[in-house]
Amino acid sequence: MRQIRYGLLAFLLSGGCVADVGSTGLAVAGDSDGDGDPDGSDCAPSDPAIHAGAPEICNHVDDNCDGTVDEPVGTVYCVGSEPRPGITEQCLDNVLVGRLALASNHCPVPGGGWDVRDLFTHGFETMAGRYCVYEHTTHNPGPGGLPPSDDGRAPMDWLQPDCPVMVGLGGSDSELASAAVWEEYYEGWLAQLEAESSLPSVVSAVDGPLPRTTHVAVLDTAPPNTGFTSPAPSGRGSASSHGAVMGHLIEALACPGGSGAVCNTEFTNHVALERLPDGSDERAEGGVIGTFSQVAAAIEEAVTVGSSARGGAPRILALSIGAEPGYEVLSDGSPRPSADALRRALDAAVCGYQALVFASAGNATGGPGASAGPMLPGAWASDVASCGEPLLYAVGAVDPSDQPLQLGRVGGMPELVAPGRSVAFDLDGAGPGNPTPLMTGTSFGPVAAAAAAAILWSYTPHWTASDVADHLYASAVPLSHLGAADFCAPGGSCGTVARISMCGALLEAAAEVCTRDPGATICGVTCTATRIGPGAGSPVVLSPGAIASLPPGGPNFSAASLVDAVSSPTCGAGTIMSDMSAIGPHPDLCPFEQYPSREAGPLGPQPPTGGCRVCALDPSSLTAVIFTNEESAHGTFYPPVLYTSSGDVVDLSSVLPSPLAYGTKYVIEDLPIDSGAEAAALSFIVTDGGDKWSTIEEIEIW
């Protein structure tokens, strides 16, 4: 499938709401643009559309010169501009973290029902400092019993709440649907990564037998290590199998060929996300959400205890997790101690243990323009560790046609990306009928980066971590159509966004081995994977058999009576209310603009799932298939509007039943669309009680 170009999706996402707050009248002296606002007060003296009193339009511009962009006017909001949940209420008043002035001192003993423990216990305290974690069994316990710091600071001056805001960045779709189509998606994902089917065993007169052992640690939701056997079990009974999926996918890429094949990469899983959304601890099951301090402790465990168990092999850390960057600092701008502990843990891993760290760039939290810049810790890719090395490397994701994911963050595109839409895996070996749900997000960036780095490092054990990172980028496929990255490691301008390649990594390693020893047996090696050129991607093509195997629905529906609503969609402007119970859909807005896109809360970095879980269009036969989401918790779905890259706009509300049933397949035939359309999207209206929102969802071409 090809990404819907500006003429469709970008147009749809541009927004068209207007808050009419009046306008000025006649031009005045010293008014260059004649809009009635003198040049001295006009914030755009050469643009007559921008002036004091002008309508505030949802266009990311301060139209009325009041110093605020796209601000609410009364009860009128721009899509995605509604106030987001605050930070304070998401942090824990019964889990406080502070850093002592001297690492040699012990954490002061509390009273009043508070317990205390050292955050770092395996040597990081000598490099990162001594952090103390105080916990209370009840919420809102108050400061009674908390001690001052070792240098006399009052409890509330050195102890601050930790925040359970770290989450896995791969949201899941329908499991029933993925059972029918997951193999096509998985094979397409492997193809886009140029994954190898096997790795060569090499003899070098200089380096000896290759590949050497590398160690990849996955810090995520997987259950805690059990003798450091890994990847972790599927954990289907646990709170989240996200970490297990990440670990198994890294193994599949770094150790292709299965049992008995050449592979010197070892894996460990470390639980970094221990909590459930209600705050309860689920370390034994892997949890869903993690605090900054929990992730920091997992990093220490991975590079000390975990690597010791693996004989000190090179350490690669994969963090397919993230938190909104606003949690890094307190209201006064000073660092949050728990976030600072995480940063210092990364510094200790990089400088003290020569670790190579990959972190997700982050997912959008719903609504156009709602999320900007990378998430933490990926945002720290622009920072330098105390030893002069990059603190970490951020990795993003693209869709099957090498375009940014729809849930990508504005200003959050790093130099390295990997395919990250609709990925599934058979974790427990129960066969093709029992895979994980389809997952989408930047989680898959660190997965691909860690696997490719493991291949590189296993053949070039003399390289440093930064050498491996540099050659990883050099071996990737440049995506020149995406331009330069939004952020990158320090030390110069950002390079072109590039897609990670397992084949490229192998060839890059072979070139280095052969430079050192021209007689090495890897010289002249070729890839087993098919190379995919820049921007070509690997479109997922769903087979008719896969579509037919989706759980059955009702009878097929004919759209023969419909007409293409608009040959070239031009949607009008209108207002969008924040209180959806007070207004109906505005008739001249595009359907998806009739209600705001619903924003996700800080504890879940993706908006609520839409109506379409596996949806596909076959333009040649004028047929579409819609398999709806199975979970009623996501709301009630109503028949969507179909958009194609050819400009077709078809309202299906008079063809399909309303509301749509959950987990049901709908086949719509005789669609009045262009048979040559290359891409398509669906827009659903979703309700949940009195709340309403809309979606815009890309679908596959079948």
Side-chain angles (χ1 to χ4, degrees):
M1 175 188 141
R2 289 177 169 76
Q3 177 86 357
I4 300 175
R5 298 303 195 268
Y6 182 80
L8 177 59
L9 187 57
F11 166 78
L12 295 176
L13 294 178
S14 63
C17 53
V18 176
D20 188 359
V21 293
S23 60
T24 57
L26 301 175
V28 296
D31 179 11
S32 301
D33 55 13
D35 59 8
D37 192 356
D39 292 346
S41 60
D42 193 338
C43 60
S46 61
D47 188 339
I50 301 176
H51 54 81
E56 186 66 28
I57 302 171
C58 299
N59 57 359
H60 306 293
V61 173
D62 180 14
D63 300 282
N64 58 9
C65 296
D66 67 349
T68 305
V69 175
D70 292 354
E71 75 272 15
V73 180
T75 56
V76 180
Y77 289 83
C78 293
V79 171
S81 296
E82 295 187 50
R84 303 175 65 190
I87 289 175
T88 302
E89 59 266 29
Q90 301 299 333
C91 297
L92 302 169
D93 55 26
N94 64 334
V95 180
L96 307 179
V97 178
R99 185 172 186 259
L100 296 180
L102 296 176
S104 58
N105 288 337
H106 296 289
C107 294
V109 177
W114 288 91
D115 293 321
V116 64
R117 59 182 170 84
D118 283 299
L119 175 57
F120 300 127
T121 58
H122 298 291
F124 267 29
E125 62 273 16
T126 63
M127 295 177 286
R130 188 174 298 277
Y131 285 83
C132 306
V133 182
Y134 292 85
E135 295 193 46
H136 203 286
T137 55
T138 62
H139 291 284
N140 300 312
L146 288 171
S149 67
D150 58 340
D151 59 353
R153 287 170 289 164
M156 293 298 97
D157 288 337
W158 78 287
L159 296 173
Q160 294 293 335
D162 200 356
C163 306
V165 292
M166 282 284 180
V167 290
L169 297 178
S172 61
D173 297 341
S174 157
E175 191 153 354
L176 283 178
S178 67
V181 301
W182 80 275
E183 289 179 288
E184 273 107 336
Y185 282 102
Y186 179 60
E187 292 301 323
W189 183 74
L190 292 177
Q192 194 173 353
L193 282 169
E194 301 178 351
E196 290 294 282
S197 60
S198 63
L199 297 176
S201 180
V202 177
V203 177
S204 167
V206 176
D207 297 310
L210 298 171
R212 301 274 186 86
T213 301
T214 59
H215 171 206
V216 177
V218 179
L219 293 85
D220 212 292
T221 65
N225 58 77
T226 53
F228 297 107
T229 57
S230 190
S234 67
R236 284 188 180 275
S238 69
S240 171
S241 60
H242 184 273
V245 173
M246 301 303 125
H248 279 275
L249 289 174
I250 294 173
E251 183 186 40
L253 293 171
C255 296
S259 178
V262 174
C263 175
N264 272 38
T265 301
E266 297 179 329
F267 307 87
T268 58
N269 284 85
H270 305 267
V271 60
L273 312 182
E274 300 182 11
R275 293 174 175 267
L276 296 179
D278 64 6
S280 59
D281 193 295
E282 282 294 333
R283 180 176 175 83
E285 294 292 346
V288 174
I289 298 168
T291 64
F292 288 118
S293 65
Q294 287 168 342
V295 178
I299 291 172
E300 183 193 34
E301 178 186 82
V303 301
T304 56
V305 182
S307 290
S308 295
R310 295 305 186 188
R315 304 159 185 89
I316 301 170
L317 306 186
L319 288 84
S320 295
I321 58 179
E324 285 290 345
Y327 292 98
E328 181 181 3
V329 297
L330 301 171
S331 58
D332 62 0
S334 62
R336 182 177 300 279
S338 55
D340 189 53
L342 174 56
R343 178 193 285 269
R344 290 174 181 268
L346 289 164
D347 189 281
V350 170
C351 297
Y353 294 85
Q354 294 73 55
L356 176 57
V357 184
F358 297 106
S360 296
N363 300 345
T365 51
S371 304
M375 299 180 81
L376 297 176
W380 294 334
S382 300
D383 295 346
V384 179
S386 60
C387 55
E389 295 292 324
L391 191 61
L392 56 80
Y393 297 87
V395 194
V398 291
D399 74 2
S401 56
D402 286 339
Q403 295 290 341
L405 289 182
Q406 186 175 322
L407 53 69
R409 296 169 69 88
V410 175
M413 181 66 76
E415 288 181 326
L416 285 171
V417 296
R421 184 156 69 85
S422 298
V423 184
F425 192 76
D426 179 18
L427 276 177
D428 52 20
N434 195 29
T436 63
L438 296 173
M439 304 175 74
T440 294
T442 57
S443 277
F444 300 100
V447 164
I455 292 173
L456 279 166
W457 220 341
S458 67
Y459 289 102
T460 58
H462 57 282
W463 276 351
T464 66
S466 57
D467 288 337
V468 173
D470 289 343
H471 285 276
L472 173 61
Y473 179 71
S475 70
V477 179
L479 304 181
S480 57
H481 60 283
L482 297 183
D486 296 321
F487 69 108
C488 57
S493 58
C494 295
T496 299
V497 176
R499 174 180 16 97
I500 294 167
S501 165
M502 301 302 125
C503 168
L506 177 61
L507 295 180
E508 189 80 5
E512 172 67 11
V513 173
C514 294
T515 297
R516 292 164 62 85
D517 177 13
T521 56
I522 199 173
C523 299
V525 70
T526 58
C527 292
T528 60
T530 300
R531 302 307 301 265
I532 298 175
S538 178
V540 175
V541 179
L542 299 179
S543 67
I547 294 294
S549 65
L550 287 170
N556 290 7
F557 298 88
S558 173
S561 62
L562 299 181
V563 296
D564 181 357
V566 190
S567 58
S568 298
T570 54
C571 306
T575 59
I576 296 178
M577 303 287 286
S578 62
D579 179 5
M580 288 298 103
S581 63
I583 190 172
H586 198 293
D588 60 358
L589 288 176
C590 291
F592 93 98
E593 293 177 316
Q594 292 176 357
Y595 299 98
S597 297
R598 194 183 206 192
E599 295 198 11
L603 299 187
Q606 296 198 80
T609 304
C612 178
R613 291 286 46 86
V614 173
C615 296
L617 174 70
D618 179 7
S620 63
S621 67
L622 309 180
T623 301
V625 173
I626 298 173
F627 187 92
T628 55
N629 193 300
E630 293 134 359
E631 299 184 25
S632 60
H634 291 296
T636 301
F637 313 118
Y638 292 88
V641 173
L642 170 69
Y643 301 87
T644 77
S645 56
S646 298
D648 305 300
V649 180
V650 182
D651 186 349
L652 300 175
S653 60
S654 63
V655 173
L656 297 175
S658 183
L660 299 174
Y662 303 119
T664 301
K665 179 172 68 176
Y666 297 92
V667 179
I668 306 99
E669 302 171 324
D670 308 315
L671 287 165
I673 61 172
D674 177 12
S675 61
E678 294 185 335
L682 291 171
S683 173
F684 292 83
I685 298 296
V686 190
T687 65
D688 185 5
D691 192 13
K692 298 180 182 179
W693 67 95
S694 60
T695 70
I696 183 71
E697 305 173 45
E698 300 168 59
I699 65 176
E700 309 298 344
I701 296 299
W702 137 53

